[in-house]
């Protein structure tokens, strides 16, 4: 059950979501990490999900069709490993993306062999699985969502309907950043900080522990910050606040706005 606590007059919800326990709706932008061949939309349809539109960078995992066994794969990034420097170094991406993210995928592929999830999409697994299978599936999903929220060309702040929604909720972009930072820094141990759109269409902040994800809550994830230490220790040692300063410099607000409008 979600447990709200007050953060600068903003509800930062700490979630202990378990896959398939909360009657969750799917993410409207469809992080269907299931793609095949060269067509994201066709691949998504083949995996049983018909997103309103693909991610703006068209990234999906490659896999086989339903006549063969599913294999989840590490997605290609829409930027070079050194493109986010100096905010996230090439070395960080080599370890975080190339090793940690890959390990979750490798473990997931090994765990689902011969199970009901062997040919399931990643979202299906996250919603239905428990234990180690859930942990590795959710971490695979969370990390891909995290990487797709960045751009080497810093965009400063959002505009349009997203900016208006942020102002309506927090009063200003600066107040929103402060509340998000507090939510992220205050996440105990390993976890994630999220900006989400609630079923009522309003914005909110959510903190999840370990692999937990809003995908199972009915909320639509818009932006996330990974606060596991492996996300920032190479560049910032144990300083989450300094990591967050760099985080804001590479947020892809166009992608966040697209998720908000979906």
């Amino acid at each position: 059950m979600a447990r709200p606590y007050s953060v600068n007059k903003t509800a930062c919800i700490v979630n202990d979501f378990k896959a398939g326990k909360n009657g969750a709706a799917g993410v409207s932008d469809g992080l269907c990490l299931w793609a095949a061949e060269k067509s994201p939309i066709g691949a998504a349809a083949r995996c049983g999900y018909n997103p309103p539109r693909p991610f703006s960078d068209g990234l999906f995992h490659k896999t086989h069709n339903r006549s063969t066994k599913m294999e989840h794969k590490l997605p290609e990034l829409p930027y070079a490993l050194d493109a986010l420097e100096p905010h996230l170094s090439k070395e960080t991406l080599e370890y975080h993306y190339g090793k940690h993210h890959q390990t979750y995928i490798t473990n997931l592929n090994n765990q689902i062999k011969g199970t009901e999830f062997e040919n399931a999409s990643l979202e299906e697994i996250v919603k239905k699985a428990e234990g180690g299978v859930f942990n590795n599936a959710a971490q695979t999903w969370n990390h891909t969502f995290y990487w797709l929220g960045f751009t080497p060309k810093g965009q400063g702040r959002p505009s349009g309907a997203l900016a208006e929604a942020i102002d309506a909720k927090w009063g200003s972009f600066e107040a929103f950043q402060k509340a998000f930072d507090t939510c992220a820094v205050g996440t105990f141990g390993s976890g994630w900080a999220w900006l989400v759109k609630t079923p009522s269409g309003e914005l909110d902040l959510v903190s999840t522990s370990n692999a937990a994800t809003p995908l199972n809550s009915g909320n639509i994830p818009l932006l996330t910050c990974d606060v596991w230490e492996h996300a920032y220790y190479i560049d910032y040692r144990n300083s989450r606040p300094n990591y967050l300063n760099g985080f804001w410099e590479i947020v892809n607000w166009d992608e966040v706005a697209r998720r908000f409008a979906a």
Side-chain angles (χ1 to χ4, degrees):
M1 179 177 294
R3 301 191 297 275
Y5 62 88
S6 177
V7 176
N8 292 342
K9 299 182 180 179
T10 298
C12 175
I13 309 299
V14 180
N15 295 281
D16 295 319
F17 294 116
K18 293 291 186 180
K21 299 297 185 183
N22 294 282
V27 173
S28 63
D29 61 16
L31 186 60
C32 175
L33 303 179
W34 249 80
E37 291 99 31
K38 298 180 181 179
S39 172
I41 295 176
R46 281 192 290 277
C47 75
Y49 183 78
N50 186 23
R53 52 194 296 192
F55 277 110
S56 57
D57 52 28
L59 283 188
F60 291 81
H61 282 273
K62 292 183 179 179
T63 185
H64 304 292
N65 59 39
R66 282 192 178 275
S67 64
T68 58
K69 293 181 179 180
M70 165 66 73
E71 182 182 12
H72 300 278
K73 294 187 177 181
L74 187 70
E76 294 181 4
L77 297 177
Y79 41 77
L81 293 180
D82 62 355
L84 303 180
E85 293 182 337
H87 312 295
L88 288 179
S89 67
K90 179 180 179 180
E91 184 180 8
T92 286
L93 267 72
E94 286 174 338
Y95 278 88
H96 191 185
Y97 163 75
K99 296 185 183 297
H100 287 281
H101 194 175
Q102 178 62 68
T103 297
Y104 294 126
I105 295 169
T106 300
N107 289 342
L108 176 63
N109 284 326
N110 289 333
Q111 289 174 329
I112 63 176
K113 290 178 181 178
T115 73
E116 63 181 297
F117 302 116
E118 189 168 44
N119 291 307
S121 72
L122 189 60
E123 285 191 3
E124 289 176 309
I125 299 172
V126 172
K127 291 176 182 179
K128 296 178 181 179
E130 296 182 348
V133 174
F134 168 77
N135 287 335
N136 284 293
Q139 284 293 78
T140 297
W141 194 96
N142 291 349
H143 277 85
T144 299
F145 191 85
Y146 170 76
W147 298 124
L148 294 180
F150 293 143
T151 176
K153 302 176 181 178
Q155 298 173 340
R157 60 178 62 207
S159 59
L162 177 61
E164 292 173 2
I166 287 173
D167 288 346
K169 176 69 177 184
W170 288 280
S172 69
F173 179 70
E174 291 74 17
F176 155 69
Q177 281 186 305
K178 184 176 181 180
F180 188 99
D181 285 353
T182 302
C183 187
V185 172
T187 298
F188 182 77
S190 300
W192 303 79
W194 307 80
L195 172 66
V196 301
K197 182 167 70 172
T198 68
S200 66
E202 296 182 347
L203 297 180
D204 208 347
L205 297 179
V206 170
S207 169
T208 60
S209 297
N210 300 316
T213 171
L215 184 61
N216 293 323
S217 71
N219 291 325
I220 297 174
L222 304 179
L223 175 69
T224 192
C225 183
D226 185 349
V227 293
W228 285 63
E229 280 198 344
H230 64 234
Y232 57 88
Y233 200 83
I234 290 173
D235 297 326
Y236 300 98
R237 294 300 183 258
N238 64 330
S239 179
R240 276 191 195 174
N242 288 341
Y243 163 55
L244 282 156
N245 288 338
F247 170 85
W248 293 116
E249 297 296 323
I250 53 177
V251 171
N252 186 340
W253 288 113
D254 289 342
E255 174 62 15
V256 179
R258 191 198 63 74
R259 295 165 176 172
F260 176 69

